[in-house]
Every structure is written in structure tokens, then in C-alpha cells.
């Protein structure tokens, strides 16, 4: 499978010919590749993998660390794929990919990762520290950088997702984001 733009304009974009519509088509193309691996609406954006030694979650990690890494994998899949989905949701909010209404999928999953008690809840910073039984004041988690990605994407499709949450849902999401906003991250992030 290869992406081939259906419309180009080399005057507007002399190097690639890609137009705004071409980029949105590319978003659909990339998301289709991802969503072919998602078996149900309730499943997170976690891609199949062969390797388990180098990338997380590491198959041989102690159980508590592996659970933390699994939460990071779920959050990273959501946040990074939302970078592709957010402009599509904003410009083509009724897009359906592989049978999933994309706006509804991301709206649901954003709320789920931020909601205590949901099986996809990725945990606040404090919950991660407690789960790992750590008191290291400068401990970094992958989730910290993903919260930044989530905020950028929520701004990008504010009208289509953020503005449709109830005030209570917005408060839950904001509380989750704030738990990481005031903590450490690694310098390159």
C-alpha cells in the first residue's frame, strides 16, 4: 500500500505538490494503517510488535514496572496518533476509518485514560510513584511528554472534542494533566 495524493498543486507547494486536502488524505491513510490493528472501539491504539527486549513494555521487567510501561504504551499510542488525527478531526469531523468514527473514538479514549477506575486509566504522576513504591522526587515518566502532546492536540480540535465534554469531564482531564505538569521530565522533552 502506498499513499498517492489525489490532488496536487506545485505552484502552491513546489517541492511536494501537497495541498491541505492532500495532507488530510495522508492523515486518513496513516490512521487506516493503524486502525486496521484495533479490533474494537474500546481497544487502545497499541500496535502489534515483535520486539520486547529494547522497547517498552519490556517482557522481562518486574511486574510493577511492566504495568507502568504498559500504561505508557497506551498513552503514547493515543497521544502520538492524535497528532495525526487532530487536524483530520478538526477539518473532517465526521471521518470514519475502519468502521470507527474517529472523533468519537478519540473523545472516548482521551477521557478514559484520564479517568480513575477505567481499565485504560494511565495513572497520575502520583499514582505512578505509588504503584512503583518510589519516593524519588525527580523521577520521570514517559507520560509527562505525552501530556504535552495531548494538550497540543486538544487545542487543535478544541471545538470538536474539548468543547463537547461536560464540565466534570473537563475537570477530570485537567486534573490528570496537572498531575504531570508540575513534575519532572527528561531534558530532551
Amino acid at each position: 500500500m502506498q499513499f498517492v495524493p489525489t490532488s496536487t498543486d506545485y505552484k502552491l507547494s513546489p517541492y511536494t505538490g501537497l495541498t491541505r486536502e492532500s495532507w488530510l488524505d495522508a492523515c486518513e491513510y496513516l490512521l487506516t494503517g493503524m486502525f486496521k490493528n484495533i479490533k474494537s472501539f474500546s481497544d487502545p491504539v497499541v500496535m502489534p510488535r515483535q520486539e520486547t527486549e529494547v522497547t517498552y513494555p519490556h517482557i522481562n521487567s518486574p511486574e510493577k514496572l511492566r504495568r507502568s510501561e504498559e500504561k505508557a504504551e497506551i498513552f503514547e499510542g493515543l497521544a502520538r496518533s492524535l497528532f495525526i488525527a487532530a487536524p483530520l478531526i478538526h477539518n473532517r469531523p465526521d471521518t470514519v476509518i475502519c468502521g470507527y468514527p474517529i472523533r468519537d473514538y478519540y473523545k472516548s479514549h482521551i477521557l478514559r485514560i484520564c479517568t480513575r477506575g477505567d481499565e485504560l486509566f494511565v495513572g497520575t504522576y502520583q499514582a505512578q510513584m505509588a504503584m512503583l513504591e518510589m519516593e524519588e522526587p525527580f523521577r520521570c515518566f514517559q507520560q509527562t511528554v505525552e501530556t504535552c502532546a495531548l494538550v497540543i492536540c486538544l487545542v487543535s480540535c478544541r471545538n470538536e472534542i474539548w468543547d463537547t465534554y461536560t464540565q466534570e469531564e473537563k475537570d477530570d482531564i485537567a486534573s490528570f494533566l496537572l498531575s504531570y505538569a508540575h513534575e519532572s521530565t527528561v531534558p530532551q522533552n
Side-chain angles (χ1 to χ4, degrees):
M1 211 161 91
Q2 178 182 356
F3 174 69
V4 178
T6 56
S7 64
T8 55
D9 183 341
Y10 285 92
K11 275 188 167 179
L12 180 66
S13 184
Y15 295 105
T16 65
L18 296 178
T19 64
R20 180 182 195 84
E21 289 305 309
S22 301
W23 284 108
L24 294 172
D25 291 344
C27 291
E28 284 193 43
Y29 172 82
L30 291 169
L31 288 170
T32 298
M34 284 186 264
F35 275 80
K36 284 181 179 179
N37 296 291
I38 298 175
K39 293 179 179 35
S40 78
F41 187 88
S42 62
D43 289 345
V45 181
V46 173
M47 296 297 99
R49 55 188 267 218
Q50 319 302 307
E51 187 280 320
T52 59
E53 299 289 324
V54 177
T55 60
Y56 64 85
H58 301 93
I59 198 161
N60 295 322
S61 291
E63 185 180 342
K64 288 179 185 177
L65 180 57
R66 191 173 60 252
R67 280 197 335 243
S68 177
E69 291 175 341
E70 287 167 352
K71 290 174 180 292
E73 179 185 37
I74 288 168
F75 194 9
E76 184 172 14
L78 180 74
R80 303 292 172 101
S81 67
L82 188 54
F83 268 133
I84 299 167
L88 187 61
I89 291 167
H90 180 68
N91 289 279
R92 299 177 185 169
D94 297 325
T95 298
V96 174
I97 295 179
C98 297
Y100 303 112
I102 295 302
R103 174 181 46 191
D104 297 345
Y105 178 88
Y106 281 95
K107 178 181 177 181
S108 170
H109 281 259
I110 291 166
L111 186 59
R112 292 183 70 197
I113 63 156
C114 298
T115 302
R116 290 178 197 279
D118 190 289
E119 68 178 295
L120 293 184
F121 178 58
V122 298
T124 61
Y125 181 88
Q126 295 76 18
Q128 290 288 327
M129 292 289 275
M131 181 175 67
L132 294 173
E133 298 172 346
M134 299 184 93
E135 294 183 23
E136 186 182 328
F138 299 109
R139 174 66 161 94
C140 301
F141 294 100
Q142 180 64 32
Q143 287 89 326
T144 308
V145 71
E146 306 313 334
T147 59
C148 298
L150 180 56
V151 169
I152 291 167
C153 293
L154 282 171
V155 170
S156 297
C157 56
R158 180 182 189 137
N159 296 336
E160 297 76 24
I161 293 184
W162 180 255
D163 290 346
T164 65
Y165 287 124
T166 66
Q167 189 58 52
E168 182 181 353
E169 291 168 335
K170 288 178 181 178
D171 291 345
D172 286 345
I173 294 167
S175 175
F176 168 81
L177 293 170
L178 283 171
S179 80
Y180 287 96
H182 299 292
E183 300 300 337
S184 296
T185 190
V186 292
Q188 65 267 28
N189 288 337

